[in-house]
Amino acid sequence: MKSNYNQLGQYIEMVSRTNSDLKYGIEDVRGCSNTKQMMQTRANLIGRTYEKFIVLRPQEFVFNRRTTRNGEKIGMAYNNTDREYIFTNDYVAFRVKQEYLDKLLPDYLYMFFCRDEFDRYARYKSTGSATEFFNWEDMCAVPFEIPPMDFQQLVVNAYKVLNERIETKQKINDNLEAQANAIFSSSAPDFTDLQPIHNFGTVITGKTPPTSVAEYYGNDIPFIKTPDMHGNVYITSSECSLSKAGADSQKNKYIPENTVVVACIGANAGEVALTSYIAQTNQQINAIISKYPCFLYFSIKAHTVELRTLGEGSSTMININKTSFENYEIPTPSDNTLQQLEHKLNIIFSAILHNLQEIDRLNETKDLLVTQLSR
């Protein structure tokens, strides 16, 4: 540890405040992601009561002690809102000590946690056998140096400006998607025919190259998995990539840009997105290479419940097989109407993709900003 560094535990304290009065309910439960964001919880809440859940106030932090199988990152969230939320008591919550609030901005500490270096440190310090944990004691032992307040405020302000621009772009995209959906829905009376999905193009089920062959993985070809969809219209980045050799070992699994990808296994079954580049997918995704990706995007979204029903069987996990998927029939207009509708939707989808790519650039700038904190 550098001599001008102290342990983080000097500046933070655990929060043990609980929802004992049941002020908050299921709609207030949140979880945390490995991208350091609060999100809707994925925890199974059936049969659970909420009085022992942790209450997280504004400017407080929460993290998931378990670091195994979490994308080499630590799950964490910072409550940068103006209201309280509750988290399951599996998490650990903490805050900056009152006596240090005039020396350490919680927003700055959050930026510190967003660095890749912190994730690497947390994984390295995690302990356990089958499951590894980064515990409260480990968090308190993190080396940390408090910079001058004017520097903290400077980088926090820059970070907030970038976040505001990202939020603006996201709101624009939400409105654009709503406009496109309105156009699609207004055309529904013309959908007088039923056609199976395979009539709209080629359906490809993805495949994972052998993970035992290290040279099959690299940075050449994006390898899409269901978490990469992120609820966006377009997939613009993926956590995993294949080498050219790995992708070429299964050449029939290549998909071009503007391919419709649909999650077909598990809790995310039925989720749909479009690709923005040449890629491959894993076996949990069915892809449709079609001249009508925008039409199919909304058609599949409109039939998510029915598609999920196709995958319900004796197994406890939804699994929509390729045959059932490509034979599923969707309402369809005449060829001429379909072409006109696709043209209208494509104009809006192109604007959405442009904004998503701009958001990616803003996020890259954010990443560069937080990287500077370690120097």
Side-chain angles (χ1 to χ4, degrees), residues 266-305:
N268 294 320
E271 186 172 355
V272 59
L274 305 183
T275 60
S276 62
Y277 39 58
I278 296 172
Q280 291 192 8
T281 77
N282 70 1
Q283 59 276 11
Q284 296 187 358
I285 292 174
N286 282 329
I288 314 165
I289 304 173
S290 172
K291 294 188 297 183
Y292 308 107
C294 304
F295 169 78
L296 286 172
Y297 174 84
F298 282 121
S299 292
I300 290 170
K301 286 197 78 169
H303 289 82
T304 299
V305 174

Side-chain angles (χ1 to χ4, degrees), residues 158-207:
Y159 194 81
K160 286 183 176 179
V161 168
L162 291 169
N163 274 333
E164 288 168 0
R165 290 180 181 175
I166 290 171
E167 289 173 6
T168 298
K169 291 287 183 181
Q170 289 172 335
K171 288 178 181 177
I172 292 172
N173 271 0
D174 289 342
N175 290 332
L176 287 171
E177 185 175 356
Q179 291 175 31
N181 190 34
I183 293 172
F184 174 85
S185 299
S186 67
S187 302
D190 297 323
F191 300 173
T192 56
D193 191 17
L194 286 174
Q195 291 194 38
I197 287 175
H198 66 73
N199 277 12
F200 293 91
T202 304
V203 177
I204 296 176
T205 301
K207 183 181 178 182

Side-chain angles (χ1 to χ4, degrees), residues 13-21 23-24 28 30 38 53-62 77-87 92-96 98 101 106-107:
E13 61 187 0
M14 187 184 293
V15 171
S16 56
R17 181 189 319 109
T18 62
N19 188 37
S20 57
D21 57 359
K23 178 181 179 181
Y24 300 106
D28 305 300
R30 293 294 183 270
M38 280 198 302
F53 280 35
I54 300 168
V55 177
L56 198 74
R57 289 177 177 169
Q59 295 193 315
E60 294 181 345
F61 302 82
V62 65
Y78 172 55
N79 187 359
N80 61 354
T81 74
D82 57 1
R83 58 153 296 179
E84 298 177 347
Y85 290 98
I86 57 174
F87 291 74
V92 177
F94 64 96
R95 63 188 175 192
V96 175
Q98 183 69 34
L101 284 175
D107 286 348

Side-chain angles (χ1 to χ4, degrees), residues 145 250 289:
E145 179 184 29
Q250 45 186 39
I289 304 173

Side-chain angles (χ1 to χ4, degrees), residues 3 6 14 77 93 96-97 104 106 131 140 153 211 221 224 251-252 260 281 299 315 333 349 375:
S3 58
N6 292 313
M14 187 184 293
V96 175
K97 292 178 180 177
L104 175 58
T131 302
C140 289
Q153 194 64 66
T211 55
I221 306 297
I224 297 170
K251 288 186 176 181
N252 61 338
V260 184
T281 77
S299 292
S315 173
F349 273 48
R375 296 183 177 180

